[in-house]
Structure formats: structure tokens, C-alpha cells
């Protein structure tokens, strides 16, 4: 079996299509990285919202318990 590319320069050139191939890889990688960061920020915001909501519900519960007790 012989390799398709005989050296690194041929591999990077990709038979004349290197700029398309490598720019596509770069855009895909950037999209995945952006998705990871966006997902993490959304997760943090969701946890923060849930914590705030639980704190408000606990305060309401304590106020109603004081009034009835």
C-alpha cells in the first residue's frame, strides 16, 4: 500500500484544495468551541435562575408560615 500524500507539503496542499479543506476544518472547530462555551454559559445562567427561584419560594414559604403560626 502506498500513501496518498508523499510529504507534509502535499498533505497541506490537499491536491490544490488545501485552502478549502483547512478553512472548513477551522470553521467547524470554531463552531464546536463556540457551542461548548455557549452551553456552559447557559448552564450557569440556568443554575443561577433556579437557585434564585428556590430562594424566593423559601422566603414566601417562611412568610406564610409566620403569618399562620
Amino acid at each position: 500500500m502506498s500513501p496518498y500524500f508523499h510529504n507534509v507539503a502535499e498533505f497541506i496542499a490537499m491536491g490544490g484544495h488545501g485552502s478549502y479543506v483547512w478553512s472548513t476544518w477551522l470553521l467547524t472547530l470554531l463552531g464546536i468551541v463556540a457551542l461548548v462555551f455557549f452551553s456552559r454559559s447557559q448552564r450557569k445562567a440556568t443554575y443561577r435562575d433556579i437557585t434564585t427561584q428556590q430562594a424566593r419560594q423559601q422566603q414566601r414559604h417562611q412568610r406564610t408560615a409566620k403569618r399562620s403560626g
Side-chain angles (χ1 to χ4, degrees), residues 6-26:
H6 297 290
N7 59 32
V8 176
E10 286 182 20
F11 177 73
I12 292 173
M14 291 280 172
H17 301 287
S19 60
Y20 170 76
V21 171
W22 297 115
S23 64
T24 304
W25 272 97
L26 178 65

Side-chain angles (χ1 to χ4, degrees), residues 2-53:
S2 65
Y4 189 78
F5 301 110
H6 297 290
N7 59 32
V8 176
E10 286 182 20
F11 177 73
I12 292 173
M14 291 280 172
H17 301 287
S19 60
Y20 170 76
V21 171
W22 297 115
S23 64
T24 304
W25 272 97
L26 178 65
L27 288 173
T28 301
L29 181 63
L30 288 174
I32 291 171
V33 168
L35 181 62
V36 167
F37 281 113
F38 177 74
S39 297
R40 284 183 177 181
S41 68
Q42 288 296 103
R43 185 175 133 201
K44 286 179 184 179
T46 301
Y47 283 141
R48 186 174 45 243
D49 292 345
I50 290 171
T51 303
T52 303
Q53 183 181 10

